[in-house]
Amino acid sequence: MDGAELLDTLMPVGKPIEIKDLNEDMYLAVFYWPRTYIPHSVMRSKFFNREEGDNYQLTKPFYVDAENLRDYQFGFIEKLNPEDIELNQIRDFNLKTDNCEECALSEVYWQNYNAFFQRKDSLSKKFNTDYYNAIQQNDKNLRQKFLKADSIKQKVWIDQVYLKDLNQLIKDNADKKVSTFFLFYQLYLFRDFPKFRSSYESLKGDALKSRYYPMLKKQFDRAENTKT
């Protein structure tokens, strides 16, 4: 959450890497390599989709609970080489979470979060296609189509499906530290305290021991005082 980089190194596939004394928290693993396959879509969309680059990148957020799990293994269900991954535009890979309830629950939360972005991506692709077709047809509404496509790409606000599912996940797992993290994280992105107050008030047990709970409580108390 603080953005500190813990490791930046070349890593042979399959070789273990040791990072000592990690605190219980959420981390982000980023794996990337020079593209071996550059599809036409990447070349065509480099201007519009600036995140497309010469490297192929995979990212994976994961929760560290060192008391219950010390060995975090990332991988795919089947053996894949870089060409397979790039050709099939694979973005998801697995994290082995045996014997770590908080780690496994974190994966469920991220799946819910990613489902929102998949819905957004599907809508974005539709408007991108409309934009590219407008270029080919010299459409007089080209600028409007570009702005519409770009607005979908830039939009980060959650939708109602995500909001409902997140609140339910928190209430169903109200005694887990991971639930506290995700509530804190969501309010960091989208500071609508009334929509999440019932979830906040449902937290109990180990969830109150999370390092994020005091910060969360401070924010809700401040929001309540401001309203008063």
Side-chain angles (χ1 to χ4, degrees):
M1 282 299 290
D2 62 11
E5 188 175 86
L6 301 178
L7 181 68
D8 181 9
T9 184
L10 289 172
M11 181 178 67
V13 174
K15 181 180 179 181
I17 286 184
E18 184 177 7
I19 306 177
K20 295 182 177 180
D21 303 324
L22 289 182
N23 294 320
E24 182 172 348
D25 207 343
M26 192 68 68
Y27 295 84
L28 182 67
V30 181
F31 303 99
Y32 64 92
W33 62 87
R35 288 181 181 272
T36 57
Y37 166 74
I38 302 181
H40 177 68
S41 61
V42 170
M43 299 300 293
R44 183 179 66 175
S45 64
K46 261 194 174 184
F47 172 75
F48 190 75
N49 293 322
R50 294 177 180 82
E51 69 271 13
E52 296 282 12
D54 295 327
N55 290 323
Y56 193 90
Q57 180 172 295
L58 297 170
T59 62
K60 181 72 173 180
F62 65 106
Y63 194 79
V64 168
D65 179 4
E67 288 187 10
N68 295 294
L69 185 65
R70 299 185 62 85
D71 185 14
Y72 293 80
Q73 299 179 21
F74 303 93
F76 301 96
I77 296 175
E78 56 184 318
K79 188 174 182 180
L80 299 170
N81 59 39
E83 291 86 353
D84 295 327
I85 297 170
E86 295 169 30
L87 278 167
N88 293 287
Q89 291 291 294
I90 295 173
R91 298 294 180 182
D92 298 324
F93 55 107
N94 300 318
L95 171 66
K96 190 175 181 180
T97 58
D98 297 352
N99 303 318
C100 181
E101 189 176 358
E102 296 275 4
C103 306
L105 179 58
S106 170
E107 292 289 284
V108 176
Y109 273 106
W110 284 122
Q111 287 168 11
N112 181 48
Y113 191 65
N114 290 335
F116 159 67
F117 279 100
Q118 289 168 3
R119 292 191 293 274
K120 172 187 167 183
D121 185 58
S122 178
L123 191 60
S124 179
K125 285 179 179 177
K126 176 185 180 302
F127 287 119
N128 282 354
T129 299
D130 290 346
Y131 169 67
Y132 292 130
N133 289 338
I135 292 176
Q136 295 173 356
Q137 298 167 10
N138 294 317
D139 193 319
K140 64 180 181 180
N141 296 317
L142 179 63
R143 176 170 173 76
Q144 288 87 341
K145 290 182 182 295
F146 172 84
L147 292 175
K148 193 168 187 178
D150 192 55
S151 69
I152 296 297
K153 180 184 172 187
Q154 300 300 329
K155 183 178 175 60
V156 296
W157 305 123
I158 57 176
D159 59 17
Q160 292 303 308
V161 175
Y162 173 82
L163 175 65
K164 178 182 177 182
D165 291 347
L166 176 62
N167 272 320
Q168 192 60 53
L169 272 172
I170 293 172
K171 291 175 181 178
D172 289 346
N173 301 279
D175 59 340
K176 300 294 189 295
K177 292 181 181 179
V178 164
S179 296
T180 308
F181 166 82
F182 275 95
L183 181 52
F184 177 88
Y185 181 64
Q186 186 55 54
L187 287 168
Y188 176 80
L189 297 174
F190 186 74
R191 303 183 68 77
D192 193 335
F193 292 93
K195 287 184 178 179
F196 294 98
R197 176 163 289 280
S198 63
S199 295
Y200 164 69
E201 291 176 347
S202 74
L203 296 177
K204 60 184 180 181
D206 286 345
L208 307 183
K209 300 175 184 177
S210 166
R211 60 178 295 192
Y212 292 98
Y213 184 76
M215 293 182 278
L216 195 60
K217 184 177 185 304
K218 184 176 181 180
Q219 291 183 30
F220 270 100
D221 288 347
R222 184 182 298 159
E224 184 65 27
N225 291 335
T226 301
K227 184 178 71 172
T228 303

